[in-house]
Every structure is written in C-alpha cells, then in structure tokens.
Amino acid sequence: MVNESDTSDRLAPVLRPVRAGNGFEEALEQILQVVRLGLVAAGERLPAERELADRLRISRVTLREVLKVLQDQGLVESRRGRYGGTFVRPRSDTHAGGSEEELRRRVADVDIEDILRFREVLEVGAAGLCAAHGLSEEQADRLRAALAATHDAPLADYRRLDTLLHLTLAELSGSATLTAQYAAVRATVNELLDCIPLLVRNLEHSQHQHTALVEAVLEGDADAAREVMREHCGGTAALLRGFLT
C-alpha cells in the first residue's frame, strides 16, 4: 500500500492555496495537473478530502464539486468502505504513441516550439538556482531519492518518476512561482511525450544526464548544472520535433 505521507510529499510542488474568487477553477486546475503529471499513479488514492481541502484552502463542498467533474471525465473513481477514497483511473490512451487522431488533436492545440523553449528556460534556471544557493541535507536527500527512483523504475512508470525528479528540482529552487509555472508546462510536455514511443537508448542517455545533473547541483557547480540541463532539454526537444513536427 502507498504511504499517505509519501503521496502528500509528491504533491507539494503542485498543490498550493487557491485565490478567493476562483477557488473552484484553480482547485480543478491543480488536481488536473496532479493527475496529468502522474504524481498519483493509476490505481493510487488521492489524499483524503480533509487534507486536500486544507492544502487548497477551499471548503469540502467545493472540493467535492471538483472531484465530481474529474469523475464525470473518467479520470478518477470513488470507492466506499474502509479502504475507500478517490482513486486515479488508468488512462485509456497509455499505449505507446496513442492513436493517430489523438496525436493530431494534441499537436494541433499546442505551439510546440513555444512550450519547449519555455520549459528549457525554467529547467535551466531551476538547476542553476539549486546549485548556486545550495541545498540543505534534507533537500539533498530528497533530490537523491528522486533520482534513485528513476534508476529503479519499470519502463511503464518511468515518465511519471522522471516528472517527479524534475518537479523536485523545480521546487528546491526556492521559487514558488517557478515551480507552479514548471508544473503547468510539464503537464503539456507530458501530453506530447505520450504521443511518442519510449526509446530505451534515449532513456539510458537521460539517466546519465540526470546523474550528472544531480551531482553538479550537490557540488554547487551552477554552470555545470545549467549546461547539463540545457543538453537534457535539448534531447527531449529533438525527439518531440522529430516525431511531431
């Protein structure tokens, strides 16, 4: 069974108090990001209603309206009983590449170049900030753990854990605004990545880059951290351009 506190820690980069006036819309946006980013995997349970409502600073009535929308869209399901709660449902299009119709729909709705450039700016900036400002021992342990999870990940779970590693780095940059912007852009990038196959050779290369990146951050080498991240983002961009444009 998944540890509830582990799940809550995973959601920290995304869930934040919403602003008065747009509580429903902003809460829906954030929980959609949690699902789209795979921070709660298919079959896993979302945090309890009380915890979600407290973290988002909304009423449980508003939260239930949000969860009802997600349930109507087939993204989550509610289960009763002692081990009940709200669970993320498996996506219907998780087979490699998705359908041609799905691919065309996603690409038509996205300015790929704009997304890739913005992602690179945020990622390179976050890596540089983490290295330049330094991490506490607890923060360093979080980053190491996120990296280790990607090394041990089965292929089907790799992109979710890769996302978590990058989100952890963004959060450790110390900028809540950067973290929120990165979570949003990464959700879009993941939608595009779902349109292309997982390539083992590319994943092996990515893992080498991840390791070099974390080492640079922990050593406080901001220039190296930025350069490794720039190369890493460039590799992903090249794959997406090759398959989708």
Side-chain angles (χ1 to χ4, degrees):
M1 182 175 294
V2 176
N3 187 297
E4 294 283 351
S5 63
D6 289 346
T7 302
S8 298
D9 289 344
R10 272 185 261 152
L11 307 190
V14 175
L15 295 184
R16 58 197 179 278
V18 302
R19 292 169 294 186
N22 289 322
F24 170 80
E25 291 81 4
E26 291 190 16
L28 178 59
E29 176 188 20
Q30 290 185 41
I31 298 179
L32 273 170
Q33 283 185 356
V34 165
V35 174
R36 291 172 65 199
L37 289 166
L39 299 184
V40 178
E44 283 187 5
R45 181 170 52 192
L46 291 173
E49 285 187 6
R50 182 190 298 274
E51 179 184 346
L52 279 176
D54 286 347
R55 292 179 73 160
L56 294 166
R57 307 272 176 87
I58 58 175
S59 70
R60 293 177 73 172
V61 171
T62 298
L63 176 63
R64 286 170 186 156
E65 292 174 349
V66 169
L67 295 177
K68 177 66 165 56
V69 171
L70 298 178
Q71 188 167 333
D72 290 346
Q73 294 298 309
L75 298 174
V76 302
E77 62 181 354
S78 178
R79 301 178 193 169
R80 301 188 175 214
R82 181 177 178 184
Y83 298 108
T86 302
F87 291 77
V88 175
R89 296 188 61 189
R91 291 176 54 166
S92 60
D93 60 347
T94 51
H95 57 285
S99 67
E100 288 294 325
E101 293 78 11
E102 177 68 9
L103 188 153
R104 283 195 294 268
R105 182 188 67 77
R106 291 182 185 177
V107 174
D109 291 342
V110 173
D111 183 335
I112 295 176
E113 287 301 322
D114 180 64
I115 290 296
L116 294 177
R117 287 170 184 161
F118 189 42
R119 181 219 177 176
E120 181 177 330
V121 167
L122 295 176
E123 293 254 37
V124 171
L129 285 171
C130 286
H133 294 169
L135 303 180
S136 68
E137 192 54 42
E138 180 183 356
Q139 290 174 326
D141 286 344
R142 280 188 59 199
L143 189 58
R144 291 189 190 100
L147 174 65
T150 64
H151 284 305
D152 299 334
L155 198 60
D157 215 23
Y158 179 80
R159 279 186 179 151
R160 184 176 69 83
L161 294 171
D162 171 66
T163 296
L164 183 58
L165 170 62
H166 285 262
L167 271 172
T168 298
L169 192 69
E171 184 188 9
L172 294 178
S173 74
S175 169
T177 301
L178 186 154
T179 304
Q181 290 293 317
Y182 179 68
V185 77
R186 180 67 191 228
T188 302
V189 169
N190 281 2
E191 289 284 320
L192 297 174
L193 287 171
D194 283 343
C195 293
I196 70 175
L198 282 164
L199 305 176
V200 173
R201 182 166 181 176
N202 168 251
L203 298 187
E204 291 172 348
H205 183 220
S206 291
Q207 284 303 93
H208 288 305
Q209 291 175 327
H210 285 158
T211 300
L213 171 65
V214 170
E215 288 175 353
V217 168
L218 296 179
E219 290 170 3
D221 190 338
D223 288 340
R226 284 190 289 263
E227 185 57 32
V228 173
M229 183 62 90
R230 188 174 288 108
E231 290 180 2
H232 184 60
C233 290
T236 302
L239 281 180
L240 288 172
R241 290 187 186 106
F243 277 103
L244 303 181
T245 61

